[in-house]
Amino acid sequence: MRTTTLKSVLPVLLPAKAKSGSLFSFRLKLWHGIILLCICLLTSTAGFAQSDPIKASVFEILLRWMPLLLTAFIFNIAISMLAMGIGTAAGTVLGLGQISPNAGLRKFCWFITQFFRNSPWLVLLFFAMFLLPFEFSIGGIDIPLPDWLKATIGLSLPVMANMSEIVRGAVNSLPSGQWEAAESLAYSRRQTLWLVILPQCVKRMLPPWMNLYSILTMATVLASVVGVSEVMTTTGRALASEGGRPDLLAPFYSFVLLIFFIYCYPIARWTVYLEKKFAVKG
Amino acid sequence: MTWTINEPMVSIRDVYKSFGAFEVLKGISLDVMKGEVICIIGPSGSGKSTLIRCINALNDIQKGSILVEGQEVNDPKLDKLELRKKVGMVFQQYNLFPHKTALQNIMMAPVRVLKQDKAEVEKIARELIRKVRLEGKEDAYPGELSGGQQQRVAIARSLAMNPDVILFDEVTAALDPETVGEVLQTIKLLAEEGMTCILVTHEMAFAREVADHIYFTDRGVIVEHGPPETFFSEAKDPRTKEFLSQIL
């Protein structure tokens, strides 16, 4: 006991802990995946023992549906990447607006950011689904807006708001001396931002940005609620077409959880690695 | 209005500056001729740093006039970027750009702001590195340099803009004692070459050695000023005497 307290006799002298990961506290661990794998295997083989020999085994059914489920999952990834792209671009603009010298623009961007950041993702998704038209026309050409694209736009709204905060936070975390040094060398505001401030922000923004992407990927299943044929919708249909057998529920849904884990875990690991790497150099 | 070399390069007249209700500068006036080195000394919080930050418009002033080569700084229509091309500045915390090497730090402003030819700028930048005696550190990042080395890069970075006057804001205050000398040596070299320098400093021995004129400020006013020979030996004001007795 005594030795453990001695280790931190002078906590004030410890370097400040990096805060980049504090935006989202949830983090995937390897044991999450191992548990999922165990549930998936146990439930599918345990089901085999119980089931009627005439019916196909649970494991066989799962194997049969796997290609379709994986294809649907690829659709989830596509939605997540597109939503991330839109959200990152719009969020960067919004974040830069939040640090604009123009007070009106700054307040407007702050309001938009806070509005979308503090709205439930599902509500924003419904908002986009039912308020966006199913097609729009530019110069006489009708461009259809399918459901999955509407859902993507809906999901990109909270991403945009969170990205805006990541940008604002990163810019504000730089010492004011960087601005002053650039100003005293006759850099314009735009030059200061693009040549001095933002290049230093990129590595500060990368870990929270990747974290945000992980969260978004897991949130793409919300699109099932509005009928987009992604992995959750497909799983539901597969289960229905198998006659709604209750012994299929656990293996199928734990399989879906497992593929999300396999996709998101490396991102989480990489984020941790980057956070550590950047925390040392500062 | 055109400025001639017989007029002060920097002319500060009756400058008032406050942060909110707190009045930092209460009617400061001083002149700096071309090639002159002036040192501003005084206790902490007496407004020294604020004063020199007003010269390149990093801080604005409420009242009074600051002329830099005849150009009024206290003017809402002032082209700050044009002013800052003439007035260099070196900071206490160096403020080098950490994502750029020493050479890139020096080259960036002339290439990006003054739009000078890159090869030409690189030649000048390498000469400046030699001048501040940092040969071999061209490709080092600021994080890999000592405080004194970083500060010398910062001086070279300022010189690369070819300014008419350089402001030094307590440039040795954050340094280890053993690296203070190398930075002061660099400033002395500039002074000998005829660069107009305005220094805020706590290095009294250095001020005595290089300054043409010394100003002592306290609570926002200039209490006493004079050439170093008389300033240090014949201080009249009790506040100056007290300050000097504590420092020397």
Side-chain angles (χ1 to χ4, degrees):
Chain A
M1 199 56 208
R2 201 181 177 85
T3 47
T4 49
T5 50
L6 272 175
K7 268 184 189 167
S8 54
V9 160
L10 293 171
V12 283
L13 292 180
L14 293 173
K17 222 179 155 191
K19 278 185 183 162
S20 44
S22 63
L23 192 57
F24 304 106
S25 51
F26 175 73
R27 182 139 297 166
L28 285 174
K29 296 269 160 50
L30 191 58
W31 58 265
H32 291 137
I34 294 167
I35 287 176
L36 286 172
L37 185 65
C38 291
I39 293 173
C40 189
L41 287 176
L42 276 175
T43 50
S44 52
T45 48
F48 174 65
Q50 291 166 6
S51 62
D52 199 313
I54 307 158
K55 285 186 193 168
S57 80
V58 173
F59 198 65
E60 275 168 5
I61 296 171
L62 185 58
L63 272 181
R64 203 164 63 221
W65 285 100
M66 231 177 240
L68 192 68
L69 294 182
L70 287 172
T71 316
F73 180 67
I74 289 169
F75 193 42
N76 282 64
I77 294 174
I79 291 176
S80 74
M81 284 180 170
L82 191 59
M84 196 65 191
I86 298 170
T88 302
T92 305
V93 173
L94 204 58
L96 293 177
Q98 281 204 86
I99 52 160
S100 159
N102 180 326
L105 181 64
R106 204 165 55 228
K107 282 188 185 130
F108 174 75
C109 293
W110 175 85
F111 178 78
I112 298 288
T113 301
Q114 293 305 322
F115 180 80
F116 286 113
R117 214 164 81 93
N118 294 295
S119 306
W121 290 40
L122 190 57
V123 177
L124 292 175
L125 197 59
F126 270 84
F127 184 84
M129 291 308 287
F130 300 120
L131 288 182
L132 290 174
F134 66 91
E135 66 173 21
F136 62 98
S137 54
I138 301 173
I141 306 161
D142 289 335
I143 299 166
L145 208 53
D147 274 358
W148 68 267
L149 195 56
K150 286 205 255 179
T152 305
I153 293 168
L155 286 172
S156 70
L157 292 173
V159 173
M160 169 189 80
N162 282 295
M163 186 64 195
S164 169
E165 283 296 89
I166 291 172
V167 170
R168 188 187 64 85
V171 170
N172 285 348
S173 73
L174 286 184
S176 62
Q178 292 291 311
W179 286 93
E180 288 177 354
E183 278 173 43
S184 75
L185 288 164
Y187 285 71
S188 66
R189 195 185 153 82
R190 183 182 290 251
Q191 285 172 324
T192 306
L193 208 52
W194 288 98
L195 298 174
V196 177
I197 304 298
L198 290 181
Q200 294 185 60
C201 285
V202 169
K203 73 175 186 181
R204 284 163 195 253
M205 294 191 300
L206 205 53
W209 182 79
M210 284 165 53
N211 227 328
L212 182 59
Y213 177 68
S214 255
I215 305 269
L216 168 68
T217 307
M218 293 185 248
T220 51
V221 293
L222 290 176
S224 68
V225 181
V226 290
V228 176
S229 306
E230 47 69 69
V231 70
M232 278 298 276
T233 314
T234 310
T235 308
R237 283 181 194 149
L239 288 169
S241 67
E242 288 294 333
R245 280 168 55 183
D247 58 332
L248 290 180
L249 289 174
F252 267 69
Y253 283 115
S254 58
F255 174 72
V256 174
L257 282 172
L258 190 64
I259 50 179
F260 270 99
F261 176 83
I262 290 167
Y263 185 69
C264 292
Y265 181 66
I267 300 174
R269 288 304 307 164
W270 196 25
T271 309
V272 171
Y273 164 75
L274 286 178
E275 273 174 5
K276 276 188 189 149
K277 192 179 153 198
F278 295 153
V280 179
K281 280 189 178 175
Chain B
M1 191 169 89
T2 48
W3 171 78
T4 63
I5 201 151
N6 299 319
E7 295 167 35
M9 180 174 264
V10 177
S11 176
I12 298 174
R13 281 286 163 274
D14 206 25
V15 162
Y16 284 81
K17 159 82 187 167
S18 44
F19 291 109
F22 182 64
E23 205 163 38
V24 187
L25 304 176
K26 303 168 195 163
I28 296 242
S29 299
L30 62 85
D31 285 327
V32 187
M33 302 298 289
K34 182 172 170 50
E36 244 187 342
V37 176
I38 72 147
C39 285
I40 303 169
I41 62 171
S44 299
S46 62
K48 314 179 293 289
S49 290
T50 308
L51 175 64
I52 69 163
R53 289 162 61 92
C54 291
I55 299 173
N56 71 348
L58 275 184
N59 287 349
D60 55 352
I61 59 173
Q62 268 79 46
K63 213 173 95 185
S65 154
I66 298 175
L67 294 177
V68 176
E69 295 182 356
Q71 162 83 54
E72 176 61 61
V73 176
N74 187 19
D75 175 0
K77 291 197 294 284
L78 167 79
D79 185 345
K80 287 185 182 175
L81 302 187
E82 279 308 311
L83 169 76
R84 288 168 184 160
K85 287 175 190 170
K86 294 187 286 194
V87 184
M89 185 158 190
V90 184
F91 297 86
Q92 180 177 346
Q93 298 296 342
Y94 342 124
N95 295 348
L96 292 180
F97 305 136
H99 60 303
K100 298 281 177 185
T101 64
L103 193 67
Q104 287 168 337
N105 261 283
I106 299 170
M107 288 175 60
M108 238 164 100
V111 172
R112 299 295 198 140
V113 177
L114 301 179
K115 313 280 181 207
Q116 290 172 353
D117 177 62
K118 200 171 173 186
E120 195 67 26
V121 171
E122 184 169 341
K123 219 177 94 193
I124 296 167
R126 287 187 187 278
E127 271 166 35
L128 285 171
I129 291 236
R130 214 165 312 146
K131 186 172 184 173
V132 298
R133 294 189 295 148
L134 284 171
E135 297 97 328
K137 298 289 184 190
E138 288 86 352
D139 298 321
Y141 284 89
E144 300 161 353
L145 298 172
S146 74
Q149 290 171 331
Q150 288 191 55
Q151 196 58 291
R152 283 182 284 154
V153 175
I155 293 172
R157 178 174 72 170
S158 184
L159 285 172
M161 292 291 279
N162 201 14
D164 295 338
V165 52
I166 301 188
L167 313 170
F168 294 90
D169 186 6
E170 298 193 32
V171 292
T172 56
L175 296 177
D176 295 330
E178 63 264 37
T179 59
V180 167
E182 65 197 35
V183 172
L184 294 181
Q185 198 110 44
T186 309
I187 301 172
K188 198 178 158 199
L189 183 72
L190 298 184
E192 282 166 357
E193 287 177 354
M195 174 61 77
T196 312
C197 298
I198 302 176
L199 293 103
V200 168
T201 187
H202 288 292
E203 299 287 335
M204 292 304 142
F206 179 71
R208 179 181 242 161
E209 194 184 355
V210 300
D212 295 307
H213 211 89
I214 292 181
Y215 290 84
F216 173 72
T217 62
D218 189 23
R219 285 167 229 159
V221 293
I222 292 173
V223 177
E224 197 159 0
H225 66 94
E229 312 84 67
T230 55
F231 179 86
F232 285 103
S233 50
E234 297 161 30
K236 288 175 202 76
D237 193 278
R239 277 190 278 178
T240 320
K241 282 182 186 165
E242 196 198 331
F243 179 74
L244 290 177
S245 71
Q246 282 169 358
I247 291 258
L248 292 176

